[in-house]
Amino acid sequence: MSRHSVLSTIGAIMVSSGINSPPAINAADTTAAARTFVRDHESKIQPLEIEIGRAWWTANTTGKDEDFAVKEQAENRLNDALADAAQFARLKQIHAGQIDDAVLARQVQLLYLQYLEKQVEPALLKRMTAKANTIEKAFNVFSAKVGDTSYTDGEVRQTLQKSKESGLRQQVWEASKRVGAEIENDLRDLVRLRNDAATRLGYADFHVMQLHLTELDQTQVLKLFDELDELTRAPYARAKAEIDERLAKDYGLKPDELRPWHYHDPFFQESPAVYDVDLDRPFANADISRICREFYAGLGLPIDDVLARSDLYEKPGKSPHAFCTDIDRAGDVRVLANIRPTEYWMGTMLHELGHAVYSSKNIPAELPFTLRSDAHILATEGVAMMFERFSKSADWLRAFGVEVADREQYSAAAARMRRDRLLIFSRWCQVMFRFEVELYREPSQDLNKLWWDLVEKYQLLRRPAGRNAPDYASKIHIVSAPAYYHNYLLGQLFACQLHAAIAHEVLHDPDAANAIYTREARVGDFMKAKVFSQGRLKSWDDLTRYATGENLNAKAFAAEFNR
Ligand SMILES: [Zn+2]
């Protein structure tokens, strides 16, 4: 995770007073006006963003209410500045004109989207925020009740992970879905409010708008998801059949008697723990931060200064998650983590430090502030995921002094785990993405049916007989992080495609899926030249072609499973 992926566009909307283009002015005047605007923007916004970066860091490392209050105040100041209607009117006129300088034009384009997102009519924004809060509160106070017993979220998950009793599993699963019925009507209202905001700006609906604000096109993403569906259908069916066989045995059932409550989480978005493998044993005495330091130094992308500023181990009050943040876009890059000697934390640290190398540490300081960050959420997540993969390679671990007793067995088990995770997650993302596209396109359709049709088609789960309930509404992301899920999957496609490009062009290794690199400065050089040097100069789309020679596609991702 990177900080800006968390901050970005959650629930944000905008409305403008009109969509007609203002009168054109000549190119020289527009260019001059653009320069002035960018200068004004930087002098006002840059300090606010740095302040948020620092406040975010403090709040997450201490967990104190007063620090979270400081963070929220800083965020509000930034939102107010970006919502400034007069500033937006200036920017809109510049954006509609001709700018003679490509780098300046790129900045204006990105600033336009950034301000546009905040141009919400205050009354409408208030209604949307209130509606979203009502729903989130309902989620917070909800507990799944079976008879007289209440189950917290964690207890639901625990039951689904451990219990062998089909009857209890079904009751707990059904109870956990009841939150959907509680919030269903409010969610539909919220969807209509979001659509209202979007259509006033000339967008077909909220989903189309959210994608457009992040330089994505819904039709293009759907096409990519279709391609991915085609390429993963068979390997997914095979992987799921193996898992089903083991699950069925656990419950004394036949595979075709399995129902959604037989999987280990409420949505089957994660790989059930059906294989008896212990990937953690080799890490018992491993110094994970030392391994990361050596690895990135070997690529010519040292991160010693990042580690020195980071907060890497558990302590009371601190966020239990992991993220990387570029505080000032001038090299103050930090990682928050809670390292334990496990494979999970090896992968997570490689991931977070992947964000750290794709930051102002390696993005040229000459780029203007607006362009001095990663090209897109999918690009930085992709780079992080690309490096993360090596925690599952025994050969790679050995190169850094982690001895694995049976290397072949470890790598085979880890590869299967990775394959299952990626396939299961990709099919789950298909459901989420397509459901949200349809939800915003036509909120009054039969959403209960739509949800289960998608779940059956993409996840190959069986709908419980006669089930007609708003099960989609028990997924909080639809409320709190709308039109966002696709970024994870696009990031994974980018990760695999970039890794394959490195395997072929830098390592000259035809077997990309198994290619590893350890102390290869050539790889760091490639990343600097083809990715980091660009900052946000290029869109994600142009960057993908520049770095890999191809449009973003699903081939490299699928090639990892079709062997
Ligand atoms: Zn990440």
Side-chain angles (χ1 to χ4, degrees), residues 490-563:
L490 296 177
Q492 199 57 256
L493 300 189
F494 185 74
C496 293
Q497 194 167 322
L498 192 58
H499 176 76
I502 289 172
H504 297 148
E505 288 163 39
V506 183
L507 309 173
H508 307 294
D509 184 340
D511 181 14
N514 289 310
I516 61 166
Y517 41 87
T518 53
R519 294 169 181 85
E520 298 271 5
R522 294 179 294 166
V523 173
D525 291 342
F526 176 92
M527 292 301 289
K528 281 189 213 168
K530 293 292 194 174
V531 181
F532 304 159
S533 63
Q534 300 305 303
R536 290 186 89 183
L537 273 169
K538 293 181 167 54
S539 68
W540 66 270
D541 209 8
D542 289 342
L543 180 77
T544 307
R545 278 188 293 273
Y546 181 74
T548 70
E550 285 185 69
N551 288 330
L552 187 65
N553 66 74
K555 283 190 306 230
F557 180 86
E560 304 223 3
F561 317 114
N562 285 326
R563 287 176 296 130

Side-chain angles (χ1 to χ4, degrees), residues 1-3 5 322-324 351-352 355 380-382 384-385 388:
M1 186 157 51
S2 76
R3 181 173 64 87
S5 75
F323 63 77
C324 175
H351 178 108
E352 299 308 335
H355 286 304
T380 185
E381 288 302 338
M385 288 168 182
E388 180 187 336

